[in-house]
Amino acid sequence: MERREAILLRLRPVRDVDQLVVALSPAVGKLEFLARGTRKIESKLNPSLQLFARVMLDSVPGRRAHHLTGVEVLDPFPRLRTRLTGLAQAGFVAEVAEALSASNQAEPRLFRLVRRELLRIERARDDRLGPADVLSLSLFALRALAVTGWRPRFGQCSVCHRPLGAVAAVFAAHPYGFAHGSCARNRSLRSGSGQADADPIPLHRATRKFLYERLSQTTQPAVVPRGVAQEVDRVALTALEAVLDRALKSRRFLRMFTKERITNHESRNAESHSPDS
Ligand SMILES: [Zn+2]
């Protein structure tokens, strides 16, 4: 029998009464288990299989999959599940973690990032999704990318490889990273219209500096200029979708709450800067 600490990222019904359990472990990365009979009401494991909880999992190898035999809840994050904004944010964290983690590969830093972000969501006082929440999720995503091999070079152009210097740069999906605006423009002209890449994102110099500092430290920022926060949000989304090569499912659910916030509390101006426009 194996016993491992993990965070439950996804539960998917299979067959009539079983579930597929996807979890992230610090020691061995992504784990998949078959949890037999756990959709039956009388299942002993069922009450402990709570999405996003930190748990100890017992398993035995089976013929085609590892079978889950025991679950001990260490950190249930109970409040997170009672709020739609909590579920939406945790869903985003879990989707990013599952997409970026690999099996049989220790992921202690990714695990710590996921655990810390879930704790933040759990402890949030406000039921609404505010700009600070969105910024935190964006930084979580960029840090998760950084610890799984996708940290952009901050001082060097990803196209011409010369120093970026003190100029305002752009962030581009291909080649992944920061670039001189002119280099990125020339490259997208040369590569023709067949490319479906997102347009490079023009960034204030303050945004690149902010990202460099935040990806080097793990503290949360106190006050962040609004323009910087919006650019960080766009960089995170572009970087994620470039690396995963698909749109994030949880993002649409999350956007329902940011849209609501924008129309209710912010100026019309904010909508024209939305990444979807
Ligand atoms: Zn360049």
Side-chain angles (χ1 to χ4, degrees):
M1 191 183 76
E2 282 188 334
R3 188 171 173 80
R4 296 203 186 280
E5 178 188 4
I7 288 172
L8 299 177
L9 300 180
R10 190 155 62 92
L11 303 171
R12 185 165 66 85
V14 283
R15 297 195 289 249
D16 287 344
V17 292
D18 304 341
Q19 280 178 293
L20 177 82
V21 178
V22 181
L24 178 69
S25 123
V28 290
K30 185 158 44 186
L31 293 168
E32 281 191 12
F33 301 103
L34 188 65
R36 285 181 136 166
T38 50
R39 287 163 66 213
K40 288 185 196 157
I41 294 167
E42 65 272 22
S43 158
K44 282 200 192 86
L45 294 187
N46 183 306
S48 309
L49 277 177
Q50 298 171 21
L51 199 54
F52 315 125
R54 187 168 68 89
V55 292
M56 291 299 283
L57 297 175
D58 296 327
S59 65
V60 291
R63 235 176 342 145
R64 275 186 299 186
H66 283 260
H67 293 264
L68 203 64
T69 53
V71 184
E72 180 194 342
V73 178
L74 303 175
D75 225 338
F77 302 123
R79 282 195 61 229
L80 177 156
R81 254 178 293 276
T82 63
R83 292 168 291 151
L84 273 178
T85 50
L87 286 171
Q89 292 184 82
F92 174 78
V93 170
E95 186 180 2
V96 169
E98 183 181 348
L100 293 178
S101 57
S103 302
N104 298 314
Q105 189 174 314
E107 303 276 15
R109 289 183 298 169
L110 182 62
F111 183 86
R112 274 201 300 276
L113 287 173
V114 170
R115 189 179 170 193
R116 209 184 49 221
E117 194 62 9
L118 290 175
L119 266 176
R120 179 196 65 78
I121 299 166
E122 170 74 8
R123 290 172 181 165
R125 294 210 190 92
D126 201 334
D127 283 353
R128 288 168 304 179
L129 193 73
D133 300 310
V134 175
L135 179 65
S136 183
L137 291 172
S138 297
L139 285 174
F140 159 76
L142 288 166
R143 284 173 177 144
L145 284 163
V147 300
T148 50
W150 295 94
R151 185 189 166 94
R153 293 188 164 192
F154 282 89
Q156 189 182 311
C157 174
S158 63
V159 179
C160 73
H161 304 295
R162 283 197 280 268
L164 282 172
V167 297
V170 300
F171 184 85
H174 299 290
Y176 182 84
F178 301 102
H180 297 112
S182 53
C183 289
R185 251 193 322 277
N186 289 340
R187 193 185 177 277
S188 62
L189 284 178
R190 271 204 314 274
S191 65
S193 54
Q195 292 271 12
D197 290 352
D199 288 335
I201 305 162
L203 301 176
H204 291 101
R205 189 161 174 253
T207 302
R208 190 157 46 101
K209 183 167 175 285
F210 174 83
L211 279 174
Y212 175 74
E213 288 168 2
R214 289 303 136 196
L215 264 58
S216 309
Q217 303 153 19
T218 50
T219 50
Q220 294 295 332
V223 182
V224 184
R226 183 162 169 73
V228 168
Q230 274 182 346
E231 288 181 358
V232 169
D233 191 25
R234 293 188 62 194
V235 169
L237 197 62
T238 301
L240 275 176
E241 296 192 344
V243 169
L244 307 186
D245 204 23
R246 63 171 171 87
L248 283 151
K249 290 181 217 123
S250 55
R251 184 74 196 179
R252 203 184 299 165
F253 187 35
L254 206 53
R255 277 200 69 79
M256 281 167 33
F257 300 101
T258 47
K259 278 260 169 66
E260 186 188 340
R261 169 177 65 79
I262 285 167
T263 41
N264 287 348
H265 304 287
E266 311 273 337
S267 65
R268 276 176 294 122
N269 212 15
E271 286 229 297
S272 63
H273 290 293
S274 112
D276 289 351
S277 60

